[in-house]
Amino acid sequence: ALDAAREAVALRRTLAAARPDAFTPDLAMSLNNLATMLSALGQREPALDAAREAVALYRMLAAARPDAFTPDLAMSLNNLAAMLSELGQREPALDAAREAVALYRMLAAARPDAFTPDLAVSLNNLAAMLSALGQREQALDAAREAVALRRTLAAARPDAFTPNLAGSLRVLGDLCAEAERREEALALLHEAIGLLTPFLAAVPPAFAGQMVGVCQSYIARCEEAEQEPDEALLGPVGAILQALQQQVEQT
């Protein structure tokens, strides 16, 4: 995958050098892909270099044609924030995440149907960056806004956005636990499991990973609060996951 991504970047770099107006956007996209591949292999410094170049190209493109390229710049800033965070560069990561949120907020104000989902994702990323720097109240504010946005989205299109709402509830629940708001954390994670269970039951392979993560958070928060987990909640989940594991072992 990395070899293919590198070749794509090399080809598009040649094309963009000859016809920048036509091929610079494609080069920026390929650089983002390359950054992801490098990061997955633990090559964090080269990944960061690729992500930075992608942001620089999209920033130039968005300056010339904001309607066309501001969404790409915002996406690329989220990617850069993740790469910076992986290298422990938390302040620059926070700056990139904040800029991404600001751009998506502007885009969502103009076209809410198109960009509110991206704003919610970006707010979750911002919450993680703020939490990593110990800015817990601001992290909670960002996570709460993401939950509120995804509640609205899930109310309108439950099949599309309820799993995303469950993801934001987990983020907010874990942040509440860090702030020692244990009862609120438990309630949020309990809700997340309840929302996700029908999706797990319908398509177990698609939602098993997410459900395991939410359940791990819920059980950990129960232990911290010295409360027994809700077996009525976890029982059906455990049965589905066990059945899925048996299917995997038989194939």
Side-chain angles (χ1 to χ4, degrees), residues 189-198 211 214-215 218 233-234 237:
L189 293 163
H190 193 288
E191 182 185 0
I193 293 170
L195 289 173
L196 200 56
T197 298
M211 180 61 91
V214 178
C215 287
Y218 172 68
L233 178 73
L234 296 181
V237 173

Side-chain angles (χ1 to χ4, degrees), residues 24-224:
T24 298
D26 296 323
L27 173 58
M29 180 179 65
S30 284
L31 284 163
N32 266 336
N33 292 341
L34 176 61
T36 300
M37 303 300 174
L38 288 163
S39 178
L41 284 167
Q43 299 184 34
R44 293 176 178 174
E45 290 286 354
L48 179 58
D49 290 341
R52 278 184 167 143
E53 186 179 359
V55 165
L57 291 175
Y58 277 131
R59 200 180 292 286
M60 177 184 66
L61 291 164
R65 295 177 58 196
D67 290 346
F69 293 109
T70 298
D72 295 311
L73 174 58
M75 174 273 298
S76 200
L77 283 163
N78 269 337
N79 194 38
L80 176 60
M83 304 300 168
L84 288 163
S85 181
E86 286 177 0
L87 281 165
Q89 299 186 32
R90 292 176 178 175
E91 291 285 355
L94 178 58
D95 290 341
R98 278 186 166 139
E99 186 179 358
V101 165
L103 291 175
Y104 277 129
R105 200 180 294 287
M106 177 185 67
L107 290 164
R111 296 177 57 196
D113 290 347
F115 293 109
T116 299
D118 295 315
L119 175 57
V121 171
S122 202
L123 283 162
N124 271 343
N125 292 341
L126 177 60
M129 304 301 170
L130 288 162
S131 178
L133 282 165
Q135 300 182 33
R136 290 180 179 171
E137 289 302 321
Q138 291 184 45
L140 283 168
D141 289 342
R144 288 189 199 284
E145 186 179 358
V147 166
L149 291 174
R150 283 179 161 170
R151 280 198 195 283
T152 301
L153 292 166
R157 296 178 57 196
D159 289 347
F161 291 110
T162 299
N164 293 331
L165 172 57
S168 281
L169 287 166
R170 181 192 177 187
V171 170
L172 180 55
D174 285 341
L175 289 172
C176 284
E178 289 177 8
E180 297 188 359
R181 301 180 183 186
R182 290 173 180 167
E183 291 300 324
E184 185 178 359
L186 283 172
L188 290 162
L189 293 163
H190 193 288
E191 182 185 0
I193 293 170
L195 289 173
L196 200 56
T197 298
F199 291 84
L200 177 70
V203 193
F207 295 99
Q210 183 181 0
M211 180 61 91
V212 167
V214 178
C215 287
Q216 287 173 339
S217 288
Y218 172 68
I219 292 167
R221 304 294 83 86
C222 286
E223 290 175 354
E224 291 168 1

